[in-house]
Amino acid sequence: MADTNRGVVYVEPGRVSVEDMPYPTLVLEEQNNRRLQHGAILKVLATNICGSDQHMVRGRTTAPAGLTLGHEITGEVIETGEDVEFIKVGDIVSVPFNIACGRCRNCKEGHTGVCENVNPARAGAAYGYVDMGGWHGGQARYVVVPYADWNLLKIPADRDTVMAKLLDLAMLSDIFPTGYHGAYTAGVTTGSTVYVAGAGPVGLACATACFLLGAAVVIVGDMNKDRLAQASSFGCEIVDLSAHGNLAEEIEHVLGMPEVDAAVDCVGFEARGHGPEGSTTEQPATVLNSLMDATRAAGRVGIPGLYVTGDPGAADEKAKEGTLGIRIGLGWAKSHVFTTGQCPVMRYNRQLMMAILHDRVQIARNVNALVIPLDQAPHGYEEFDRGAAHKYVLDPHGELAGARF
């Protein structure tokens, strides 16, 4: 008999609950009984709360009630479809949050964040996320994954090693590749000076990636003093944007010049203004405009921060449809290069996994990972929403006691 399943469900703005739910099968009733002969069922070993989840839980998207949340998944394969050839039962795997078929033009070109075949509404799909294909989320005890041979990254180490490093490895499904993608597409390299907007988990992961790529100086800006302290703990320079409204001046205090080589937006559409007055009001274009101002001519700007086409809680009518007051003329005049959109996780996750397994990076420590039981997920969401300086990792089966950072 199959084990029971439980998962985190979005109820209404500001509220999630942990509920019993059906054990997953390789036949998807919600998709006209589609048979995933290429799929796998995972026992979830670790699954994280993401800032993108918080946008939904705050009511800032059109997410439907009853949606099972969670797109950051690390698990053990317990069943495979008959067409799965290379992934085996017992493998411990990281699941990219992008759901991809591996067959369409975009997948073949490496753009797995905008797969053409896994979401009938538009290109791109993810687990447990609004408008992303209706796939069940992974903040649960068990989850089903399609196209297993393509999507799953097998972790090539013995079980004891994997479990000891599981907190670090749990960051491979989203935030570490996403932060790396932001830094890489911003052109961060040996000797770069970088400004990272946002000291939440993705911003901290991005700052970690900047150092891994060879940056000389990484400056992190935020309004949350605890999160800024976390950034400072592993060598970042910090700017408290609730106290300082002029970012260029603060960068000059650090570098002796008011511009950086590269900048990364790890905040997204719920940005607030800078300085004592602006920090109390939502100004969704603030970060993008400040990055154009603070990045040198011919510099690059990475934008992994989330921007949406539907925001019911936006401050004005235009922002509700994703129309923001961006100073594109400034970016054009400075010949900036912008990279937006979902991170194509597969482009980076294997390399970052090797850096973790061979102790080249301590990502769980840098993002201040905190393990909590699955049933405490509502408390984790509440604390994260209050600005706690943690990356919350849910432990559905109580197997993370030996994980360390």
Side-chain angles (χ1 to χ4, degrees), residues 180-189 192-195 206 210 261-265 295 298-303 337 339:
Y180 190 95
H181 179 62
Y184 184 82
T185 57
V188 177
T189 186
S192 293
T193 59
V194 191
Y195 175 70
C206 180
C210 289
D261 297 322
V264 188
D265 174 4
T295 303
R300 293 174 176 260
V301 179
I303 311 175
V337 174
T339 302

Side-chain angles (χ1 to χ4, degrees), residues 129-181:
Y129 208 82
V130 60
D131 296 330
M132 285 291 181
W135 298 89
H136 286 299
Q139 287 175 12
R141 289 169 58 82
Y142 299 94
V143 70
V144 64
V145 174
Y147 305 104
D149 282 328
W150 170 254
N151 282 306
L152 297 179
L153 174 66
K154 178 181 175 181
I155 301 171
D158 63 87
R159 188 180 184 89
D160 288 345
T161 298
V162 172
M163 296 307 294
K165 293 181 178 291
L166 197 61
L167 275 186
D168 290 298
L169 295 166
M171 306 305 155
L172 289 173
S173 57
D174 183 355
I175 69 162
F176 198 12
T178 293
Y180 190 95
H181 179 62

